[in-house]
Amino acid sequence: MDTINTSYILHHMHEDELPLNAVSPPVFQTSIFCFPNCKALGEAMQDDACHSFYSRGNNPTVNLAEEKIAALEGGERAKIVSSGMAAISHAVMAFVKAGDHVVCVEDCYGWTKTLLVSYLARFNVKVSFVEGTDTGEVIAALRPETRVLYLESPTSFTFKLQDLPAIAAEARKRNIKTIMDNTWATPIFCNPIKFGIDLVVHSASKYMSGASDIIAGAVIGSKDDIELIYRQEYLQLGPVPDPLMAWLMLRGLRTLHVRMKAHHEGALAVASFLEGHPGVERVFYPMLPSYTQITLARRLFSGASGLFSFKLRTKKPEEAIRFADTLRLFKRAVSWGGYESLVIPNAICYPNAADIPPDRVGLVRIHIGLERPEDLIADLEKALAAI
Ligand SMILES: *Cc1c(COP(=O)(O)O)cnc(C)c1O
């Protein structure tokens, strides 16, 4: 982890240009920008990807956050949008047309799957799913009409990793756009662009705010790719980030590197505890020394975040639910990435208990917040004893 560069970007990049020597950037809560004459307005409108004249396109508070996120990811440009799903849908839709094919990892974020399976089907775009852990399997799924290869490493709930450099190189040879959801690792621990991935997408609703107080997304890539997304999707579909949201994101970003280090340390301590507990069958935390893909994890990530899952030994969904209900410091909620610890048993994601796949009955996902790890471990110990 390049801490000097990271903290420079987060604390200082463009900050000495702020009006009135303000240390915190202003929230430009304005829909329009006025110009001294028509020539200046006309010029701004012609170069619309780079100028603020209407906040559906650009806004200085939003642009400041975009420049920092692009620099953090090592991309030329970034666009912030109103949710992680807006980032994902824009990145995918910009590079497919009727008749095209997409390859995606099986255990991707649930709404990503719905987008690819149900929404894109209306436009005659086909999708194939791969487990993703075997690069050969991924390559074999590529077809002549494949235009997008969508990755999420680690995958949602199951934490399976993909060999990003190997897959990106194969996709590049075939002129296929690679998109990677990097929400879990954040740009602090992983920079997919350095591994050859074309576009990185984020749900900024997670660690970028760090306070569970915004819904936002970001897409990062080359100048050409981001300007294509901007012109071809964003200006028409309009997932506009609010300037106040961008400001909250900037505030969150200032502490991102410090928080991520604490999430990593806390999660590693809790994952190690769970691994040694007789009530736990398996722990899925990529940075655990015993993890099946630990060698790949160490190549991809310089650290790991606070989100992971584990499998309780119980075969009864009601026991997994009682375990989650007994916890006191862990709150029961969706999402993650804030200062607080959270829990969600996978069983409650299925409307009927009969539909829960047998290997997911005892599967529980937790987010390790910024509480003292020893307090979280004591809480988990009590809840495990309640099963
Ligand atoms: C939450 C999440 C998303 C969706 O982000 P929103 O901001 O809720 O739209 C996408 N990918 C991953 C991995 C997520 O956890």
PDB file of all heavy atoms in Angstrom, residues 82-86 88 109 111-112 150 152 154 156 181-184 202-206 214-217 307 335-336 365, ligand 1:
ATOM      1  N   SER A  82     -25.442   8.168  -8.966  1.00  0.00           N
ATOM      2  CA  SER A  82     -26.302   8.210  -7.785  1.00  0.00           C
ATOM      3  C   SER A  82     -26.392   6.895  -7.009  1.00  0.00           C
ATOM      4  O   SER A  82     -26.990   6.869  -5.937  1.00  0.00           O
ATOM      5  CB  SER A  82     -27.700   8.659  -8.204  1.00  0.00           C
ATOM      6  OG  SER A  82     -28.171   7.793  -9.221  1.00  0.00           O
ATOM      7  N   SER A  83     -25.820   5.809  -7.510  1.00  0.00           N
ATOM      8  CA  SER A  83     -25.786   4.554  -6.737  1.00  0.00           C
ATOM      9  C   SER A  83     -24.759   3.622  -7.358  1.00  0.00           C
ATOM     10  O   SER A  83     -24.321   3.827  -8.506  1.00  0.00           O
ATOM     11  CB  SER A  83     -27.157   3.858  -6.741  1.00  0.00           C
ATOM     12  OG  SER A  83     -27.444   3.363  -8.032  1.00  0.00           O
ATOM     13  N   GLY A  84     -24.413   2.594  -6.617  1.00  0.00           N
ATOM     14  CA  GLY A  84     -23.517   1.577  -7.162  1.00  0.00           C
ATOM     15  C   GLY A  84     -24.152   0.898  -8.369  1.00  0.00           C
ATOM     16  O   GLY A  84     -23.482   0.608  -9.356  1.00  0.00           O
ATOM     17  N   MET A  85     -25.450   0.651  -8.306  1.00  0.00           N
ATOM     18  CA  MET A  85     -26.133   0.011  -9.433  1.00  0.00           C
ATOM     19  C   MET A  85     -26.116   0.906 -10.673  1.00  0.00           C
ATOM     20  O   MET A  85     -26.070   0.398 -11.795  1.00  0.00           O
ATOM     21  CB  MET A  85     -27.568  -0.382  -9.061  1.00  0.00           C
ATOM     22  CG  MET A  85     -27.692  -1.742  -8.382  1.00  0.00           C
ATOM     23  SD  MET A  85     -26.657  -3.084  -9.044  1.00  0.00           S
ATOM     24  CE  MET A  85     -27.245  -3.240 -10.717  1.00  0.00           C
ATOM     25  N   ALA A  86     -26.172   2.221 -10.488  1.00  0.00           N
ATOM     26  CA  ALA A  86     -26.074   3.121 -11.642  1.00  0.00           C
ATOM     27  C   ALA A  86     -24.683   2.994 -12.272  1.00  0.00           C
ATOM     28  O   ALA A  86     -24.545   2.979 -13.500  1.00  0.00           O
ATOM     29  CB  ALA A  86     -26.348   4.566 -11.229  1.00  0.00           C
ATOM     30  N   ILE A  88     -22.744   0.334 -12.196  1.00  0.00           N
ATOM     31  CA  ILE A  88     -22.668  -0.990 -12.836  1.00  0.00           C
ATOM     32  C   ILE A  88     -23.471  -1.000 -14.140  1.00  0.00           C
ATOM     33  O   ILE A  88     -22.981  -1.429 -15.186  1.00  0.00           O
ATOM     34  CB  ILE A  88     -23.172  -2.074 -11.845  1.00  0.00           C
ATOM     35  CG1 ILE A  88     -22.187  -2.202 -10.682  1.00  0.00           C
ATOM     36  CG2 ILE A  88     -23.394  -3.415 -12.556  1.00  0.00           C
ATOM     37  CD1 ILE A  88     -22.723  -2.940  -9.473  1.00  0.00           C
ATOM     38  N   TYR A 109     -23.013  -9.563  -7.176  1.00  0.00           N
ATOM     39  CA  TYR A 109     -24.037  -8.855  -6.402  1.00  0.00           C
ATOM     40  C   TYR A 109     -25.416  -9.122  -7.032  1.00  0.00           C
ATOM     41  O   TYR A 109     -25.553  -9.107  -8.267  1.00  0.00           O
ATOM     42  CB  TYR A 109     -23.690  -7.362  -6.425  1.00  0.00           C
ATOM     43  CG  TYR A 109     -24.655  -6.491  -5.657  1.00  0.00           C
ATOM     44  CD1 TYR A 109     -24.748  -6.572  -4.272  1.00  0.00           C
ATOM     45  CD2 TYR A 109     -25.477  -5.584  -6.324  1.00  0.00           C
ATOM     46  CE1 TYR A 109     -25.628  -5.768  -3.571  1.00  0.00           C
ATOM     47  CE2 TYR A 109     -26.353  -4.780  -5.630  1.00  0.00           C
ATOM     48  CZ  TYR A 109     -26.428  -4.879  -4.250  1.00  0.00           C
ATOM     49  OH  TYR A 109     -27.299  -4.086  -3.567  1.00  0.00           O
ATOM     50  N   TRP A 111     -28.319  -7.659  -7.591  1.00  0.00           N
ATOM     51  CA  TRP A 111     -28.966  -6.793  -8.579  1.00  0.00           C
ATOM     52  C   TRP A 111     -28.173  -6.697  -9.873  1.00  0.00           C
ATOM     53  O   TRP A 111     -28.724  -6.406 -10.926  1.00  0.00           O
ATOM     54  CB  TRP A 111     -29.231  -5.400  -7.996  1.00  0.00           C
ATOM     55  CG  TRP A 111     -30.274  -5.472  -6.928  1.00  0.00           C
ATOM     56  CD1 TRP A 111     -30.078  -5.368  -5.575  1.00  0.00           C
ATOM     57  CD2 TRP A 111     -31.674  -5.720  -7.114  1.00  0.00           C
ATOM     58  NE1 TRP A 111     -31.267  -5.533  -4.921  1.00  0.00           N
ATOM     59  CE2 TRP A 111     -32.266  -5.744  -5.831  1.00  0.00           C
ATOM     60  CE3 TRP A 111     -32.476  -5.931  -8.233  1.00  0.00           C
ATOM     61  CZ2 TRP A 111     -33.628  -5.972  -5.643  1.00  0.00           C
ATOM     62  CZ3 TRP A 111     -33.836  -6.149  -8.040  1.00  0.00           C
ATOM     63  CH2 TRP A 111     -34.405  -6.165  -6.762  1.00  0.00           C
ATOM     64  N   THR A 112     -26.864  -6.972  -9.781  1.00  0.00           N
ATOM     65  CA  THR A 112     -26.054  -7.042 -11.005  1.00  0.00           C
ATOM     66  C   THR A 112     -26.568  -8.207 -11.846  1.00  0.00           C
ATOM     67  O   THR A 112     -26.733  -8.100 -13.059  1.00  0.00           O
ATOM     68  CB  THR A 112     -24.569  -7.256 -10.658  1.00  0.00           C
ATOM     69  OG1 THR A 112     -24.147  -6.186  -9.813  1.00  0.00           O
ATOM     70  CG2 THR A 112     -23.698  -7.298 -11.896  1.00  0.00           C
ATOM     71  N   TYR A 150     -17.564  -9.437 -16.934  1.00  0.00           N
ATOM     72  CA  TYR A 150     -17.850  -8.741 -15.685  1.00  0.00           C
ATOM     73  C   TYR A 150     -17.334  -9.548 -14.487  1.00  0.00           C
ATOM     74  O   TYR A 150     -17.718 -10.700 -14.287  1.00  0.00           O
ATOM     75  CB  TYR A 150     -19.365  -8.516 -15.558  1.00  0.00           C
ATOM     76  CG  TYR A 150     -19.703  -7.615 -14.406  1.00  0.00           C
ATOM     77  CD1 TYR A 150     -19.875  -6.243 -14.591  1.00  0.00           C
ATOM     78  CD2 TYR A 150     -19.802  -8.122 -13.112  1.00  0.00           C
ATOM     79  CE1 TYR A 150     -20.146  -5.411 -13.519  1.00  0.00           C
ATOM     80  CE2 TYR A 150     -20.067  -7.288 -12.035  1.00  0.00           C
ATOM     81  CZ  TYR A 150     -20.246  -5.943 -12.254  1.00  0.00           C
ATOM     82  OH  TYR A 150     -20.509  -5.113 -11.190  1.00  0.00           O
ATOM     83  N   GLU A 152     -16.197  -9.715 -10.186  1.00  0.00           N
ATOM     84  CA  GLU A 152     -16.362  -9.183  -8.835  1.00  0.00           C
ATOM     85  C   GLU A 152     -15.483 -10.065  -7.963  1.00  0.00           C
ATOM     86  O   GLU A 152     -15.745 -11.257  -7.820  1.00  0.00           O
ATOM     87  CB  GLU A 152     -17.840  -9.276  -8.426  1.00  0.00           C
ATOM     88  CG  GLU A 152     -18.169  -8.562  -7.133  1.00  0.00           C
ATOM     89  CD  GLU A 152     -19.654  -8.700  -6.764  1.00  0.00           C
ATOM     90  OE1 GLU A 152     -20.518  -8.512  -7.650  1.00  0.00           O
ATOM     91  OE2 GLU A 152     -19.923  -9.022  -5.613  1.00  0.00           O
ATOM     92  N   PRO A 154     -13.555 -10.218  -4.270  1.00  0.00           N
ATOM     93  CA  PRO A 154     -14.276 -11.475  -4.126  1.00  0.00           C
ATOM     94  C   PRO A 154     -15.767 -11.331  -4.437  1.00  0.00           C
ATOM     95  O   PRO A 154     -16.306 -10.231  -4.392  1.00  0.00           O
ATOM     96  CB  PRO A 154     -14.086 -11.813  -2.642  1.00  0.00           C
ATOM     97  CG  PRO A 154     -13.906 -10.495  -1.971  1.00  0.00           C
ATOM     98  CD  PRO A 154     -13.275  -9.589  -2.966  1.00  0.00           C
ATOM     99  N   SER A 156     -19.915 -11.839  -3.987  1.00  0.00           N
ATOM    100  CA  SER A 156     -20.804 -11.528  -2.868  1.00  0.00           C
ATOM    101  C   SER A 156     -21.184 -12.801  -2.109  1.00  0.00           C
ATOM    102  O   SER A 156     -21.526 -13.808  -2.726  1.00  0.00           O
ATOM    103  CB  SER A 156     -22.076 -10.834  -3.378  1.00  0.00           C
ATOM    104  OG  SER A 156     -21.805  -9.495  -3.730  1.00  0.00           O
ATOM    105  N   ASP A 181     -16.064  -5.041 -10.185  1.00  0.00           N
ATOM    106  CA  ASP A 181     -16.668  -4.423  -8.998  1.00  0.00           C
ATOM    107  C   ASP A 181     -15.635  -4.507  -7.871  1.00  0.00           C
ATOM    108  O   ASP A 181     -15.328  -5.588  -7.373  1.00  0.00           O
ATOM    109  CB  ASP A 181     -17.955  -5.180  -8.639  1.00  0.00           C
ATOM    110  CG  ASP A 181     -18.714  -4.540  -7.480  1.00  0.00           C
ATOM    111  OD1 ASP A 181     -18.075  -3.933  -6.611  1.00  0.00           O
ATOM    112  OD2 ASP A 181     -19.957  -4.675  -7.442  1.00  0.00           O
ATOM    113  N   ASN A 182     -15.084  -3.370  -7.491  1.00  0.00           N
ATOM    114  CA  ASN A 182     -14.000  -3.312  -6.500  1.00  0.00           C
ATOM    115  C   ASN A 182     -14.491  -2.757  -5.160  1.00  0.00           C
ATOM    116  O   ASN A 182     -13.710  -2.244  -4.372  1.00  0.00           O
ATOM    117  CB  ASN A 182     -12.865  -2.437  -7.065  1.00  0.00           C
ATOM    118  CG  ASN A 182     -11.558  -2.581  -6.316  1.00  0.00           C
ATOM    119  OD1 ASN A 182     -11.247  -3.642  -5.773  1.00  0.00           O
ATOM    120  ND2 ASN A 182     -10.789  -1.501  -6.261  1.00  0.00           N
ATOM    121  N   THR A 183     -15.798  -2.852  -4.925  1.00  0.00           N
ATOM    122  CA  THR A 183     -16.382  -2.282  -3.701  1.00  0.00           C
ATOM    123  C   THR A 183     -15.748  -2.875  -2.444  1.00  0.00           C
ATOM    124  O   THR A 183     -15.462  -2.158  -1.489  1.00  0.00           O
ATOM    125  CB  THR A 183     -17.902  -2.538  -3.675  1.00  0.00           C
ATOM    126  OG1 THR A 183     -18.479  -2.029  -4.878  1.00  0.00           O
ATOM    127  CG2 THR A 183     -18.552  -1.854  -2.485  1.00  0.00           C
ATOM    128  N   TRP A 184     -15.522  -4.193  -2.453  1.00  0.00           N
ATOM    129  CA  TRP A 184     -15.050  -4.873  -1.241  1.00  0.00           C
ATOM    130  C   TRP A 184     -13.652  -4.402  -0.826  1.00  0.00           C
ATOM    131  O   TRP A 184     -13.426  -4.059   0.327  1.00  0.00           O
ATOM    132  CB  TRP A 184     -15.048  -6.395  -1.461  1.00  0.00           C
ATOM    133  CG  TRP A 184     -14.587  -7.173  -0.265  1.00  0.00           C
ATOM    134  CD1 TRP A 184     -15.343  -7.540   0.821  1.00  0.00           C
ATOM    135  CD2 TRP A 184     -13.272  -7.685  -0.024  1.00  0.00           C
ATOM    136  NE1 TRP A 184     -14.575  -8.250   1.714  1.00  0.00           N
ATOM    137  CE2 TRP A 184     -13.294  -8.351   1.215  1.00  0.00           C
ATOM    138  CE3 TRP A 184     -12.070  -7.651  -0.750  1.00  0.00           C
ATOM    139  CZ2 TRP A 184     -12.177  -8.978   1.762  1.00  0.00           C
ATOM    140  CZ3 TRP A 184     -10.952  -8.269  -0.202  1.00  0.00           C
ATOM    141  CH2 TRP A 184     -11.020  -8.928   1.040  1.00  0.00           C
ATOM    142  N   HIS A 202     -17.757   0.937  -8.395  1.00  0.00           N
ATOM    143  CA  HIS A 202     -17.860   0.923  -6.933  1.00  0.00           C
ATOM    144  C   HIS A 202     -19.266   1.260  -6.484  1.00  0.00           C
ATOM    145  O   HIS A 202     -19.915   2.139  -7.069  1.00  0.00           O
ATOM    146  CB  HIS A 202     -16.961   2.004  -6.318  1.00  0.00           C
ATOM    147  CG  HIS A 202     -15.531   1.629  -6.214  1.00  0.00           C
ATOM    148  ND1 HIS A 202     -15.056   0.787  -5.235  1.00  0.00           N
ATOM    149  CD2 HIS A 202     -14.469   1.971  -6.970  1.00  0.00           C
ATOM    150  CE1 HIS A 202     -13.754   0.624  -5.398  1.00  0.00           C
ATOM    151  NE2 HIS A 202     -13.371   1.329  -6.438  1.00  0.00           N
ATOM    152  N   SER A 203     -19.704   0.588  -5.424  1.00  0.00           N
ATOM    153  CA  SER A 203     -20.800   1.140  -4.644  1.00  0.00           C
ATOM    154  C   SER A 203     -20.132   2.027  -3.605  1.00  0.00           C
ATOM    155  O   SER A 203     -19.492   1.532  -2.667  1.00  0.00           O
ATOM    156  CB  SER A 203     -21.602   0.046  -3.936  1.00  0.00           C
ATOM    157  OG  SER A 203     -22.436   0.669  -2.974  1.00  0.00           O
ATOM    158  N   ALA A 204     -20.252   3.344  -3.774  1.00  0.00           N
ATOM    159  CA  ALA A 204     -19.675   4.275  -2.800  1.00  0.00           C
ATOM    160  C   ALA A 204     -20.566   4.392  -1.566  1.00  0.00           C
ATOM    161  O   ALA A 204     -20.269   5.134  -0.631  1.00  0.00           O
ATOM    162  CB  ALA A 204     -19.448   5.639  -3.454  1.00  0.00           C
ATOM    163  N   SER A 205     -21.689   3.650  -1.586  1.00  0.00           N
ATOM    164  CA  SER A 205     -22.569   3.605  -0.407  1.00  0.00           C
ATOM    165  C   SER A 205     -21.894   2.850   0.737  1.00  0.00           C
ATOM    166  O   SER A 205     -22.381   2.866   1.858  1.00  0.00           O
ATOM    167  CB  SER A 205     -23.874   2.883  -0.744  1.00  0.00           C
ATOM    168  OG  SER A 205     -24.358   3.236  -2.011  1.00  0.00           O
ATOM    169  N   LYS A 206     -20.788   2.185   0.452  1.00  0.00           N
ATOM    170  CA  LYS A 206     -20.126   1.346   1.450  1.00  0.00           C
ATOM    171  C   LYS A 206     -18.984   2.131   2.106  1.00  0.00           C
ATOM    172  O   LYS A 206     -19.240   3.072   2.819  1.00  0.00           O
ATOM    173  CB  LYS A 206     -19.657   0.050   0.795  1.00  0.00           C
ATOM    174  CG  LYS A 206     -20.744  -0.611  -0.088  1.00  0.00           C
ATOM    175  CD  LYS A 206     -21.854  -1.258   0.698  1.00  0.00           C
ATOM    176  CE  LYS A 206     -23.121  -1.551  -0.091  1.00  0.00           C
ATOM    177  NZ  LYS A 206     -23.012  -2.427  -1.229  1.00  0.00           N
ATOM    178  N   ILE A 214     -24.864   7.679   2.814  1.00  0.00           N
ATOM    179  CA  ILE A 214     -25.118   8.078   1.421  1.00  0.00           C
ATOM    180  C   ILE A 214     -25.366   6.841   0.559  1.00  0.00           C
ATOM    181  O   ILE A 214     -24.951   5.740   0.911  1.00  0.00           O
ATOM    182  CB  ILE A 214     -23.957   8.891   0.781  1.00  0.00           C
ATOM    183  CG1 ILE A 214     -22.656   8.064   0.729  1.00  0.00           C
ATOM    184  CG2 ILE A 214     -23.746  10.203   1.493  1.00  0.00           C
ATOM    185  CD1 ILE A 214     -21.558   8.697  -0.129  1.00  0.00           C
ATOM    186  N   ILE A 215     -26.043   7.062  -0.562  1.00  0.00           N
ATOM    187  CA  ILE A 215     -26.125   6.065  -1.631  1.00  0.00           C
ATOM    188  C   ILE A 215     -25.427   6.697  -2.829  1.00  0.00           C
ATOM    189  O   ILE A 215     -25.793   7.807  -3.250  1.00  0.00           O
ATOM    190  CB  ILE A 215     -27.595   5.743  -1.999  1.00  0.00           C
ATOM    191  CG1 ILE A 215     -28.362   5.154  -0.814  1.00  0.00           C
ATOM    192  CG2 ILE A 215     -27.643   4.785  -3.202  1.00  0.00           C
ATOM    193  CD1 ILE A 215     -27.947   3.765  -0.375  1.00  0.00           C
ATOM    194  N   ALA A 216     -24.394   6.023  -3.335  1.00  0.00           N
ATOM    195  CA  ALA A 216     -23.619   6.596  -4.434  1.00  0.00           C
ATOM    196  C   ALA A 216     -22.821   5.510  -5.135  1.00  0.00           C
ATOM    197  O   ALA A 216     -22.629   4.420  -4.589  1.00  0.00           O
ATOM    198  CB  ALA A 216     -22.651   7.654  -3.893  1.00  0.00           C
ATOM    199  N   GLY A 217     -22.361   5.835  -6.337  1.00  0.00           N
ATOM    200  CA  GLY A 217     -21.528   4.893  -7.076  1.00  0.00           C
ATOM    201  C   GLY A 217     -20.465   5.642  -7.848  1.00  0.00           C
ATOM    202  O   GLY A 217     -20.515   6.871  -7.982  1.00  0.00           O
ATOM    203  N   LEU A 307     -15.593  -7.149   5.592  1.00  0.00           N
ATOM    204  CA  LEU A 307     -16.760  -7.974   5.250  1.00  0.00           C
ATOM    205  C   LEU A 307     -16.339  -9.398   4.930  1.00  0.00           C
ATOM    206  O   LEU A 307     -15.464  -9.608   4.090  1.00  0.00           O
ATOM    207  CB  LEU A 307     -17.471  -7.380   4.027  1.00  0.00           C
ATOM    208  CG  LEU A 307     -18.794  -8.048   3.674  1.00  0.00           C
ATOM    209  CD1 LEU A 307     -19.917  -7.530   4.555  1.00  0.00           C
ATOM    210  CD2 LEU A 307     -19.134  -7.838   2.208  1.00  0.00           C
ATOM    211  N   SER A 335     -26.410  -4.100   3.436  1.00  0.00           N
ATOM    212  CA  SER A 335     -25.285  -3.209   3.174  1.00  0.00           C
ATOM    213  C   SER A 335     -24.168  -3.405   4.207  1.00  0.00           C
ATOM    214  O   SER A 335     -24.225  -4.314   5.038  1.00  0.00           O
ATOM    215  CB  SER A 335     -25.727  -1.757   3.092  1.00  0.00           C
ATOM    216  OG  SER A 335     -24.689  -0.971   2.544  1.00  0.00           O
ATOM    217  N   TRP A 336     -23.142  -2.541   4.129  1.00  0.00           N
ATOM    218  CA  TRP A 336     -21.961  -2.659   4.973  1.00  0.00           C
ATOM    219  C   TRP A 336     -21.046  -1.498   4.616  1.00  0.00           C
ATOM    220  O   TRP A 336     -21.390  -0.694   3.759  1.00  0.00           O
ATOM    221  CB  TRP A 336     -21.256  -4.008   4.727  1.00  0.00           C
ATOM    222  CG  TRP A 336     -21.171  -4.432   3.281  1.00  0.00           C
ATOM    223  CD1 TRP A 336     -22.138  -5.079   2.564  1.00  0.00           C
ATOM    224  CD2 TRP A 336     -20.082  -4.232   2.356  1.00  0.00           C
ATOM    225  NE1 TRP A 336     -21.721  -5.300   1.277  1.00  0.00           N
ATOM    226  CE2 TRP A 336     -20.462  -4.799   1.118  1.00  0.00           C
ATOM    227  CE3 TRP A 336     -18.811  -3.639   2.466  1.00  0.00           C
ATOM    228  CZ2 TRP A 336     -19.630  -4.775  -0.009  1.00  0.00           C
ATOM    229  CZ3 TRP A 336     -17.989  -3.629   1.347  1.00  0.00           C
ATOM    230  CH2 TRP A 336     -18.400  -4.198   0.131  1.00  0.00           C
ATOM    231  N   ARG A 365     -23.218 -13.674   6.889  1.00  0.00           N
ATOM    232  CA  ARG A 365     -22.263 -12.646   6.490  1.00  0.00           C
ATOM    233  C   ARG A 365     -22.184 -11.602   7.593  1.00  0.00           C
ATOM    234  O   ARG A 365     -23.227 -11.189   8.121  1.00  0.00           O
ATOM    235  CB  ARG A 365     -22.719 -11.983   5.182  1.00  0.00           C
ATOM    236  CG  ARG A 365     -21.645 -11.055   4.599  1.00  0.00           C
ATOM    237  CD  ARG A 365     -22.148 -10.316   3.381  1.00  0.00           C
ATOM    238  NE  ARG A 365     -23.024  -9.223   3.782  1.00  0.00           N
ATOM    239  CZ  ARG A 365     -23.670  -8.443   2.926  1.00  0.00           C
ATOM    240  NH1 ARG A 365     -23.553  -8.634   1.629  1.00  0.00           N
ATOM    241  NH2 ARG A 365     -24.446  -7.461   3.361  1.00  0.00           N
TER     242      ARG A 365
HETATM  243  C1  LIG B   1     -23.992  -2.670  -2.411  1.00  0.00           C
HETATM  244  C2  LIG B   1     -23.301  -3.236  -3.571  1.00  0.00           C
HETATM  245  C3  LIG B   1     -23.624  -2.828  -4.867  1.00  0.00           C
HETATM  246  C4  LIG B   1     -24.754  -1.886  -5.176  1.00  0.00           C
HETATM  247  O1  LIG B   1     -24.505  -0.603  -4.717  1.00  0.00           O
HETATM  248  P1  LIG B   1     -25.675   0.469  -4.399  1.00  0.00           P
HETATM  249  O2  LIG B   1     -24.923   1.672  -4.002  1.00  0.00           O
HETATM  250  O3  LIG B   1     -26.498  -0.145  -3.307  1.00  0.00           O
HETATM  251  O4  LIG B   1     -26.460   0.635  -5.648  1.00  0.00           O
HETATM  252  C5  LIG B   1     -22.861  -3.336  -5.895  1.00  0.00           C
HETATM  253  N1  LIG B   1     -21.869  -4.210  -5.693  1.00  0.00           N
HETATM  254  C6  LIG B   1     -21.542  -4.644  -4.456  1.00  0.00           C
HETATM  255  C7  LIG B   1     -20.426  -5.609  -4.296  1.00  0.00           C
HETATM  256  C8  LIG B   1     -22.257  -4.183  -3.364  1.00  0.00           C
HETATM  257  O5  LIG B   1     -21.955  -4.630  -2.150  1.00  0.00           O
END
